[in-house]
Amino acid sequence: MENQVLSIRGMTCAACAQRIEKTVRKLSGISQANVNLASEKLFVEYDSEVLKLSAIKESVAKIGYQVVEKSDNQKVTIPIGGMTCAACAQRIEKVIKKLDGVEDVSVNFATEKATVTYQPQQVRLSTMKEAIEKIGYKVQEINKADAADEDRVRKQKEITTLWTKFIVSAVFSLPLLYIAMAPMIKIIRFPFPSGLDPMNYPLIYALAELLLVIPVICVGYKFYTVGFKALWNRSPNMDSLIAIGTTAAVMYSLYNTIQIAEGNFLAVESLYYETAGVIITLILLGKSLEAVSKGRTSEAIKKLMGLAPKTAIILQGDVEKEIPIDEVEIGDIIVVKPGAKIPVDGMVTDGHTAIDESMLTGESMPVDKKAGDSVYAASLNTTGTLQFKAEKIGSDTALAQIIKLVEDAQGSKAPIAQMADIVSGYFVPVVCLIALFAGIAWYFGTGGDIKFALTIFISVLVIACPCALGLATPTAIMVGTGKGAENGILIKGGEALETAHKIDTIVFDKTGTITEGKPTVTDVLTAKEGDADDLLLLTASAEKSSEHPLGQAIVAGAQAKGLELYKVDNFNSITGRGIEAMINGKMILAGNRKLMEERSISLLELEAASDRLASEGKTPMYVVVDKNLAGIVAVADVVKASSKAAIESIHKLGIEVAMITGDNQKTAAAIARQVGIDKVLAEVLPQDKSNEVKKLQGTGRKVAMVGDGINDAPALAQADIGIAIGSGTDVAMESADIVLMRSDLMDVPTAIDLSKRTIRNIKQNLFWAFGYNVIGIPIAAGILHLLFNGPLLNPIFAAAAMSLSSVSVLTNALRLKRFKATRQEGTGASS
């Protein structure tokens, strides 16, 4: 049997998924077909001798859907400089989407990256770069070997530049604010230069303010170059709001300065230089704090990127040579000394040591390694010297794959962000219209008071904050997925993170998930007066060609007793039931109760013994020789130490737990009792696991499936959330939404708990971002003054509020860093 996961395009609803499943299942040779609408993937299990993969693809294409080959499309992450708010991200998305050949694009304002899926035959990467740069943004280096280091340096430089600009701006705007406000405060007598008295020397006073505001405007020149360019391109952003507001203040002040020079000394009361200067200074302060906070949200990925060593020691003959990590080739013998990091993935050839793999798996205890064991890049060699052969290098290492997975997750969008994205797209133009309308309305409403109207106009423009909306979701996802990676939990995207918090039922596979997956022979019972060793020898010989864990356990049990296995003349595996084989002219049948019933074998003789073994949590395997029941070989799989505690923690989260297994009902019930499982789905064939998940979903439940094997992949794909444990197969991990790097089931409640806390954090952020703008903009527009004759909002206070709104969202997201993984001794700390 072959297993494949195919990407499908063109599905719009659940009916499409059902139609594809129905079409594929009709094909001869198909044993299983499941479609996951959310991930747009088709999982198929088929007999490659009967059916070709091309025939499956053709059947899907025939009903109007597209099977996307890996070679058909590519995914690229493009770092982008110059974005200032969510409106910028929306503009870039819109421009890239218009290009022919672009299938999907997601621009993340928090990470400053665009993730684009495209067909290279139709559109070039250079075309996308040109499109982005044409609308005023800068494309950074893509896929460079040292891109991570350069990105770190670039962001640090950006933070330093912003702080420098803020300090320079503050140096000039503070005295500007002082000379503007001090003469107006009558209660306290501030020391004031007599030569700048606005009543006696109005022109000198006005010119002094002008001279102080010019350096501030120069420092904040990017607000104008970017803001007006965006306005010209009909895609205004936050910079546009600041540019329009402060330009209006400065131009009106310049007009009044000319009036003063012409003798209209009353115009000295209508100067707004300090408003423009202080607004720019406060925005620069907010931008600086925002840049620092954004840097902290991506600390987890930076830590991962910094783990890999820069050099490796390779063995050339008997000589050790240190070379750059990029020059390591597959097959090189690498030497790692105590205290050094493993440079690439490989297999130990010589030596014995303990390796700390906590940076990859979250497991705190070092793992013993000897010849034949696998080692992974960035893990730390703690004790002995070892040699290993390089097997995976560069982007193929486990560390590189984890970094890519976390980067993809951090760049993805959760469905909860859709409303914020829609609002962000219209936000700035709507704010401009509100500001213009409010200013004109107050101008006519106050009988032509231009100063009053201008205050309203500037306040509305400056208080509006699209940044808070743009940062609300991605920052929380960045911190949440990063925190998951620190604990060995890889969440494949924002959608998976969001869906996980809705889960109300978790279905666990039994073998290798709840249990260790390494069963051993516990009992050998013979019918009539047969010899137990003879029965074990016959059964083990028949199972020698089987890949099933139970069969392998029986073989291991016979070998442990020193029994020499017979030659098998004919072998046939019966999926989900057992095996049959010809040995020394005898037909041997070994399997479960279903197989015995299908072959009409009477079990009455050993019925009571079978029930007793099953009630003890053991799996009885019936053995038949030439259609006569010969006995039972019982095998038990030990429950993992963490299983019971994990299920208790899941129950505390209010989630029901089920177990699915091919074992008989009594054996399954015994295991369920040991660990506290609510519901048992027993005697389920591998190909029927996904149908059992579908049945649960049909009752309105949100189902997560936890498994580790190839036969779990269809169920993982069918579930709302598929969770693969780290010891599982590549196919299982490909089909899953969440991958647990360790085989510790305590990571399941940790993943669910992390999802719940992250989504709660996102909701808090969105509530603040929407609430701030919904309340702040009307206050700035003068609603309190209109209804209650209350005070107007000074544009300076509006700028301060706007700056702090983004910082507050980021600060709230950073609280997730306090999240602690669920462990057997307790649960995660509140965040």
Side-chain angles (χ1 to χ4, degrees), residues 278-289:
V278 175
I279 284 173
I280 290 171
T281 303
L282 288 172
I283 301 298
L284 285 170
L285 173 62
K287 285 281 181 190
S288 302
L289 294 171

Side-chain angles (χ1 to χ4, degrees), residues 756-787:
K756 287 178 180 289
R757 293 177 192 274
T758 304
I759 296 304
R760 186 168 66 201
N761 191 280
I762 288 172
K763 288 178 178 177
Q764 290 166 352
N765 285 348
L766 286 173
F767 177 81
W768 165 252
F770 277 112
Y772 163 82
N773 284 294
V774 166
I775 295 169
I777 292 172
I779 290 174
I783 190 76
L784 295 180
H785 188 79
L786 179 67
L787 297 177

